[in-house]
Amino acid sequence: MYLYNSVSHKKEEFIPRDPNLVKMYTCGPTVYHFAHIGNLRSYIMEDVLEKYLRWLGYPVKRVMNITDVGHLSSDADTGEDKMLKGAKRENKSVMDIAAFYTDAFFADCEKLNIKRPDVVEPATNCIDEYIKIITKLVDTDYAYLAGGNVYFDTSKLEKYYVFNEHNEEDLAVGVREGVEEDTNKRNKNDFVLWFTKSKFEDQALKWDSPWGVGYPGWHIECSGISMKHLGEDLDIHCGGIDNAFPHHTNEIAQSESYLGHKWCNYWMHVLHLNTSSGKMSKSKGEFLTVSLLEEKGYDPLIYRLFCLQSHYRKGLVFSWENLDNAKIAFEKMIAKIAAIKPEGEVDEAGLSELRERFKKALDNDLNTSLAITAVYDAIKAQTNGATKLAAIADFDRVLGLDLIAKAESKREQDAKAAKSEGGYEIRGEGDAEIDALVLQRAEAKKAKNFAEADRIRDELKAKGIEVTDVPGGAVWKRV
Ligand code: AMP
Ligand code: ZN
């Protein structure tokens, strides 16, 4: 498989350090509010990557943190603590907010068929890990104390900007309006490993440390949690593109300085989902959540398909119209699968040919839209129903669209609808797609839409189907 690596800016062949265990780390949510569907785009695409690795036969261990402390509203250690902000907003304790929104996050994930990672670790569980890493960084002069906080000294590194050559002036916190520059920092992009002097007197969560009572910075949590569960190296680290700088850049700086060797081989970043008016936001206007999609009558898996239709390295624009198009595509796909008769024995050669097409798509840096095309290839393939359905079920292990279950329930619904349609009975040769067309024709006639009824009759004729109206129903046969 070839995967784009944000460090080399190239598609690289994916070669795990140990094919018997692929180590994957994902930056988890900051649990101060519901996840918006932009956040969930990142998690859907990372889920596809994990499932595809498993599909290829790799055992995967995936770890995710839950940020319940230390993430300030600006990623550069300034602004308000997000958890505190959430607690104030809802007049609850920080721990209550964290528990509530962690559950809400996984409930959303379940609706979107995003598998729960093997290990999910709240940042507040691993304080000892952070202290261990920071202690060594201080001892080896990679970190310094200033004004009561512990900072990472970025000038100690030969190459700090691993993803891009940034212009330091552009990134300087002080130049941003309304944000105070932290005068304790020796270099503009030094970052806090441990806060003791916090401007938040009411910081709820504090722990004792060699540098005084305080709390960890945001970046150190991912290094600490990853090392706790995955050891000293990692195969793939993922996150949304906004995480590349400063979060992942800082993770690499502190991890490699601590370990004394390379830490992670592949960095996968998902581009953002935005609205036509700009950035996805949790505070402005309509807050786009999975619940909102459901309230508006959309099955959350329509949103999953919407994400899969685009490449993860392209920005994606959300609009209700775009979602409606995904809904239509999803319904068509399900109807087509529902119309496949599960007959014959699986033809192994035919199945492996279909699997090859699917594999080719995903091997090319996870081309999910071509993987969806591979589902249509299976639907149209010159093979029997059992083989088509076996291929679709197999692809859905990665796509996670519940294709087979949804097709079955569509078939049942159509059968019920046909029966309840004033006792309208269709007798044919057992083909759900044809039954559906015959029923549509009957409905058109009932509504006195004869043009539509004739159009459907012609469509059926073109398919070699002859329909005869009989009292209380219709009979069709292939001629
Ligand atoms: P947060 O809860 O803010 O820590 O973000 C959770 C994940 O969502 C991170 O991997 C972010 O990079 C990612 N993310 C944030 N905004 C978007 C967006 N608009 N589109 C896609 N991913 C996003
Ligand atoms: Zn992280």
Side-chain angles (χ1 to χ4, degrees):
M1 173 196 196
Y2 279 76
L3 193 61
Y4 183 87
N5 189 346
S6 306
V7 174
S8 65
H9 303 278
K10 279 198 236 46
K11 287 185 202 173
E12 289 177 19
E13 188 177 359
F14 176 67
I15 304 168
R17 285 184 165 102
D18 173 3
N20 294 314
L21 186 67
V22 172
K23 298 181 187 179
M24 186 170 171
Y25 186 87
T26 301
C27 288
T30 308
V31 282
Y32 72 113
H33 216 321
F34 292 108
H36 58 53
I37 59 171
N39 301 129
L40 291 159
R41 178 191 192 199
S42 289
Y43 295 113
I44 288 171
M45 302 317 283
E46 294 163 5
D47 179 67
V48 170
L49 174 60
E50 178 191 345
K51 286 178 175 157
Y52 186 56
L53 292 169
R54 291 184 193 274
W55 190 91
L56 288 172
Y58 292 116
V60 179
K61 181 172 178 187
R62 179 157 172 218
V63 177
M64 179 193 274
N65 62 304
I66 297 290
T67 299
D68 54 0
V69 68
H71 192 178
L72 307 190
S73 55
S74 151
D75 288 351
D77 303 330
T78 53
E80 204 176 350
D81 181 305
K82 290 190 179 186
M83 293 305 298
L84 215 55
K85 198 167 151 183
K88 275 189 200 149
R89 185 186 65 234
E90 298 184 22
N91 215 3
K92 286 187 190 152
S93 74
V94 165
M95 286 326 274
D96 284 349
I97 289 286
F100 179 82
Y101 287 112
T102 302
D103 288 350
F105 173 72
F106 286 112
D108 285 347
C109 286
E110 211 175 309
K111 287 175 186 163
L112 290 164
N113 274 348
I114 298 170
K115 179 187 165 293
R116 192 184 169 98
D118 305 285
V119 177
V120 173
E121 184 80 279
T124 48
N125 263 3
C126 302
I127 302 298
D128 289 349
E129 261 73 27
Y130 318 141
I131 291 180
K132 189 172 130 198
I133 299 171
I134 300 168
T135 303
K136 183 165 172 193
L137 291 174
V138 171
D139 289 350
T140 52
D141 268 351
Y142 280 107
Y144 59 93
L145 272 98
N149 295 333
V150 185
Y151 294 87
F152 187 91
D153 186 348
T154 53
S155 71
K156 292 277 154 69
L157 302 178
E158 249 170 62
K159 186 171 163 66
Y160 168 64
Y161 302 107
V162 281
F163 296 110
N164 279 306
E165 293 302 329
H166 288 278
N167 173 350
E168 296 227 2
E169 287 307 314
D170 288 351
L171 297 165
V173 173
V175 302
R176 269 187 243 142
E177 237 178 283
V179 178
E180 264 173 64
E181 191 167 1
D182 182 345
T183 51
N184 294 320
K185 293 187 181 184
R186 288 183 191 162
N187 311 288
K188 287 202 165 102
N189 285 304
D190 289 357
F191 54 93
V192 179
L193 296 164
W194 188 267
F195 290 95
T196 62
K197 285 281 171 0
S198 166
K199 51 184 184 260
F200 313 116
E201 289 305 323
D202 50 352
Q203 178 70 27
L205 301 171
K206 293 179 196 172
W207 295 266
D208 204 4
S209 83
W211 318 284
V213 173
Y215 62 101
W218 172 42
H219 316 297
I220 194 71
E221 73 176 74
C222 288
S223 297
I225 292 172
S226 169
M227 287 180 205
K228 177 177 171 185
H229 294 287
L230 296 167
E232 291 201 352
D233 52 49
L234 257 181
D235 291 303
I236 308 177
H237 193 310
C238 12
I241 189 68
D242 59 305
N243 282 165
F245 186 85
H247 184 51
H248 292 163
T249 305
N250 292 350
E251 280 186 41
I252 295 171
Q254 68 207 2
S255 298
E256 297 193 349
S257 303
Y258 170 75
L259 293 167
H261 58 74
K262 187 167 183 182
W263 178 46
C264 176
N265 282 342
Y266 301 87
W267 289 82
M268 183 241 201
H269 290 114
V270 180
L271 264 81
H272 274 191
L273 174 84
N274 293 311
T275 59
S276 54
S277 58
K279 209 171 165 248
M280 189 88 15
S281 163
K282 295 192 185 185
S283 49
K284 282 178 265 162
E286 202 169 35
F287 180 8
L288 292 164
T289 58
V290 170
S291 308
L292 183 73
L293 300 188
E294 288 183 303
E295 274 164 37
K296 292 194 183 254
Y298 295 91
D299 178 335
L301 292 182
I302 293 169
Y303 178 64
R304 185 170 171 115
L305 175 65
F306 172 72
C307 290
L308 299 188
Q309 285 171 327
S310 298
H311 196 261
Y312 76 90
R313 276 195 302 114
K314 288 204 178 114
L316 186 57
V317 176
F318 177 83
S319 70
W320 294 106
E321 197 186 343
N322 290 347
L323 193 65
D324 281 334
N325 289 334
K327 182 173 187 231
I328 293 166
F330 198 33
E331 283 167 0
K332 269 194 189 154
M333 192 194 281
I334 299 295
K336 287 200 153 88
I337 298 169
I340 300 173
K341 275 185 269 177
E343 54 183 19
E345 295 270 314
V346 174
D347 163 25
E348 292 302 333
L351 178 61
S352 87
E353 200 185 307
L354 291 170
R355 274 173 59 96
E356 259 326 293
R357 284 190 219 176
F358 180 74
K359 182 173 181 300
K360 199 172 159 203
L362 293 178
D363 272 350
N364 183 8
D365 192 26
L366 230 53
N367 190 332
T368 46
S369 72
L370 267 184
I372 299 285
T373 307
V375 175
Y376 281 104
D377 290 344
I379 292 169
K380 288 184 281 182
Q382 297 294 326
T383 183
N384 62 26
T387 309
K388 293 179 183 197
L389 291 170
I392 294 165
D394 184 44
F395 303 167
D396 206 41
R397 284 164 49 209
V398 179
L399 303 175
L401 295 168
D402 286 354
L403 295 174
I404 298 293
K406 283 194 183 297
E408 260 164 31
S409 89
K410 161 115 181 92
R411 222 175 289 141
E412 280 165 20
Q413 269 172 18
D414 286 353
K416 263 193 217 150
K419 272 202 188 119
S420 67
E421 186 60 30
Y424 194 85
E425 195 192 348
I426 298 166
R427 273 179 286 140
E429 296 175 9
D431 184 322
E433 195 184 11
I434 305 297
D435 286 350
L437 280 172
V438 172
L439 184 64
Q440 279 168 25
R441 176 176 161 267
E443 281 164 358
K445 273 173 74 178
K446 206 170 147 199
K448 303 214 181 322
N449 186 349
F450 298 112
E452 174 66 1
D454 287 350
R455 190 197 62 75
I456 298 172
R457 179 187 279 271
D458 290 347
E459 189 182 334
L460 284 161
K461 206 166 165 188
K463 287 180 189 287
I465 306 293
E466 186 187 87
V467 187
T468 314
D469 292 316
V470 294
V475 177
W476 65 262
K477 62 176 183 201
R478 287 199 162 81
V479 288

